[in-house]
Amino acid sequence: MTNSIGSTAHVAGPIPTTASNPLANEDLLPTTAAQRHWAWKDYAALWVGMVVCVPTYTMASSMLDQGFTWQMAVWLVFLANCIVLVPMLLIGRVGPKYGVPFPVLARASFGVKGANLPAILRGLVACGWFSINCYFGALALHGFLNILGMGLAGPAEGQTISTSQFVCFLAFWAVHLWFIWKGPESIRVLEVIAAPLMIGASILLVVVLMMKVPAGELFNLPAKVVEGGPKTWAALTGLVGFWATLALNIPDFTRFAKSQKDQLVGQAIGLPIPMALFSMVGVIGFSASSILYGKAQLFPDGLLTQMGSVAAGVGLLVILLANLTTNVAANLVSPSYDFSQVAPSKISFRMGGMIAAVIGLLFMPWKLLATSGGYLFTWLGGYGTLLGAIAGILLVDYYLVRKSVLKVDDLYRRGGDYEYSNGWNVQALIAFALGVLPCLPGYLAVSGVIDKAAVPGLLLGLFDFGWFFSLAVAGGYYYLTAKKA
């Protein structure tokens, strides 16, 4: 095997694959020089393609629905993405240097078998997001078919999804299978083509709405009154959690970079500012729908279907494209590698993606998205706590314990530096538990599983800081107990 990871990678020789090595397959091996051709523009386009999506729009509209002013909502979005950009860039540096994906990187800290834990957790979160984006795409497809005169019914009283919407969900789900089969390069091409189209459509929507509603009226709506007022720290934690997924598995993409500069510049340009700008689309859409039609719409399809057939037709097609670009990049690449990690000799990138798509069918996003609080706090805040602990362990292990030096050949073999105890690093597991378990009572209370009155105020408040707490505690414990390089 040839690769371009350089002398500091500590590769002793060719890494055996498949039948002779249960820890490797062609998709998990370090990328070769020929595979490393992504420039900074590709990463910027990748991020714009992922940012411009219905979940981002809904994130901003949900914050207004939870009592935030539009200024505070946009500021918190920008701040959260500046925060999550830091671990994104730090973990992303592993990709160009060593060419390994996230599940293989996790073997250094969790062990060659223990890496299954963070890989499966990250993969399941991606399956949830995959399902959510398929649902948003289904709503857009459903609305578009109605514009064409299909006369499809929405959910009846007490329902969260109709039969025709569920059929649209299955149809949009099936489209993704083509990109799983074609692999990561098809995703890069899709993002480069789609990103400018989605930017143009978003600008056009804003222009049309601001022509209908004077800016003074649009940006001076009083904040919605909610019980207890807006929950700033809980919202910030949820917003950080929005891309905490990619902060972990970003090496899945940066392993294809031409250089460190390309991934650093591309991500810095493509994430914080575009997120803040597109959140403004959600703010404007939520406020304009309230003024024009008497009901604030959380989802853009609800607004578009009220704006006339032409606007709705074009807008809903853009939503379909936006959700497709986000879904294949953010929610299929990761689980494809993650599930491949569990049994590399049996599960390829394609097979891992197919498994993720099937698991995605088991989620019921129409229930999760029934309320803005359920989306913002229960979903985003909940999984953010899990992933924060993993990020803390990875960062401490790579930068503070190993001083950015990995023995790549040992990542793919039993009995090497990353064998620990029968393939599992017990200290990493303890660090993960210490970071996550204290936040669990607060999560169960917020999600309605247990009564809030039964949970001490300290534990309730702890969940509001879930991502920050779990990252700091898990990383701190791991540093104290790990054997330093």
Side-chain angles (χ1 to χ4, degrees), residues 41-289:
K41 291 181 288 186
D42 294 313
Y43 288 103
L46 175 76
W47 272 113
V48 171
M50 291 192 292
V51 162
V52 181
C53 63
V54 176
T56 305
Y57 180 107
T58 307
M59 180 179 65
S61 61
S62 294
M63 292 185 70
L64 267 62
D65 193 52
Q66 288 294 314
F68 289 93
T69 64
W70 73 266
Q71 297 97 326
M72 181 59 75
V74 174
W75 163 245
L76 285 176
V77 169
F78 178 73
L79 177 61
N81 283 276
C82 287
I83 291 171
V84 80
L85 181 64
V86 175
M88 192 92 64
L89 295 178
L90 290 174
I91 296 176
R93 289 180 61 84
V94 178
K97 185 173 183 180
Y98 293 107
V100 298
F102 157 68
V104 174
L105 169 64
R107 295 174 183 177
S109 51
F110 283 85
V112 292
K113 298 298 291 181
N116 289 345
L117 173 65
I120 290 174
L121 289 176
R122 171 63 184 96
L124 290 175
V125 169
C127 291
W129 268 121
F130 172 76
S131 186
I132 287 172
N133 275 284
C134 281
Y135 174 60
F136 283 134
L139 295 181
L141 179 59
H142 192 268
F144 184 74
L145 292 176
N146 276 334
I147 290 172
L148 298 179
M150 296 290 288
L152 303 177
E157 185 69 28
Q159 289 183 323
T160 52
I161 189 171
S162 68
T163 300
S164 56
Q165 286 175 335
F166 183 68
V167 172
C168 289
F169 175 83
L170 294 178
F172 190 62
W173 171 86
V175 173
H176 295 76
L177 302 184
W178 187 87
F179 291 94
I180 296 173
W181 196 256
K182 300 299 289 186
E185 183 60 20
S186 68
I187 297 170
R188 183 191 69 83
V189 174
L190 173 67
E191 301 289 1
V192 170
I193 295 172
L197 294 176
M198 292 186 293
I199 292 173
S202 300
I203 293 173
L204 180 61
L205 174 63
V206 169
V207 170
V208 170
L209 290 176
M210 294 191 71
M211 289 175 64
K212 291 176 176 288
V213 183
E217 185 178 358
L218 192 65
F219 294 113
N220 284 295
L221 282 179
K224 182 178 178 179
V225 178
V226 297
E227 183 180 355
K231 302 172 183 176
T232 303
W233 274 105
L236 181 63
T237 298
L239 295 173
V240 170
F242 190 85
W243 288 122
T245 51
L246 266 292
L248 285 186
N249 75 286
I250 195 64
D252 296 349
F253 296 98
T254 59
R255 65 199 294 247
F256 299 103
K258 289 181 179 179
S259 67
Q260 288 288 2
K261 181 180 178 181
D262 283 297
Q263 71 94 6
L264 290 170
V265 172
Q267 293 200 85
I269 291 174
L271 181 57
I273 293 178
M275 277 293 292
L277 290 176
F278 192 69
S279 71
M280 281 296 300
V281 180
V283 166
I284 292 170
F286 183 86
S287 301
S289 61

Side-chain angles (χ1 to χ4, degrees), residues 207-421:
V207 170
V208 170
L209 290 176
M210 294 191 71
M211 289 175 64
K212 291 176 176 288
V213 183
E217 185 178 358
L218 192 65
F219 294 113
N220 284 295
L221 282 179
K224 182 178 178 179
V225 178
V226 297
E227 183 180 355
K231 302 172 183 176
T232 303
W233 274 105
L236 181 63
T237 298
L239 295 173
V240 170
F242 190 85
W243 288 122
T245 51
L246 266 292
L248 285 186
N249 75 286
I250 195 64
D252 296 349
F253 296 98
T254 59
R255 65 199 294 247
F256 299 103
K258 289 181 179 179
S259 67
Q260 288 288 2
K261 181 180 178 181
D262 283 297
Q263 71 94 6
L264 290 170
V265 172
Q267 293 200 85
I269 291 174
L271 181 57
I273 293 178
M275 277 293 292
L277 290 176
F278 192 69
S279 71
M280 281 296 300
V281 180
V283 166
I284 292 170
F286 183 86
S287 301
S289 61
S290 176
I291 295 169
L292 292 173
Y293 309 112
K295 180 182 179 182
Q297 296 284 349
L298 283 177
F299 305 151
D301 65 289
L303 168 63
L304 289 167
T305 53
Q306 295 175 310
M307 293 177 65
S309 58
V310 175
V314 174
L316 292 172
L317 284 176
V318 172
I319 288 176
L320 284 170
L321 179 63
N323 277 336
L324 181 63
T325 58
T326 299
N327 231 12
V328 295
N331 305 318
L332 283 180
V333 171
S334 170
S336 295
Y337 287 123
D338 293 337
F339 295 138
S340 181
Q341 151 70 25
V342 177
S345 62
K346 297 181 176 64
I347 303 176
S348 65
F349 177 91
R350 286 175 176 175
M351 180 61 71
M354 294 296 180
I355 292 172
V358 172
I359 293 176
L361 289 176
L362 304 179
F363 283 80
M364 293 182 286
W366 40 89
K367 292 187 176 182
L368 180 66
L369 299 167
T371 66
S372 59
Y375 173 60
L376 188 61
F377 303 126
T378 304
W379 172 243
L380 295 180
Y383 80 69
T385 301
L386 289 175
L387 302 188
I390 297 172
I393 294 168
L394 292 185
L395 288 168
V396 167
D397 181 76
Y398 183 70
Y399 284 100
L400 301 184
V401 176
R402 305 193 183 280
K403 312 300 183 185
S404 304
V405 175
L406 296 176
K407 295 182 179 179
V408 175
D409 53 329
D410 279 5
L411 292 171
Y412 296 91
R413 71 181 182 92
R414 300 299 303 268
D417 273 13
Y418 313 118
E419 176 68 16
Y420 297 104
S421 178

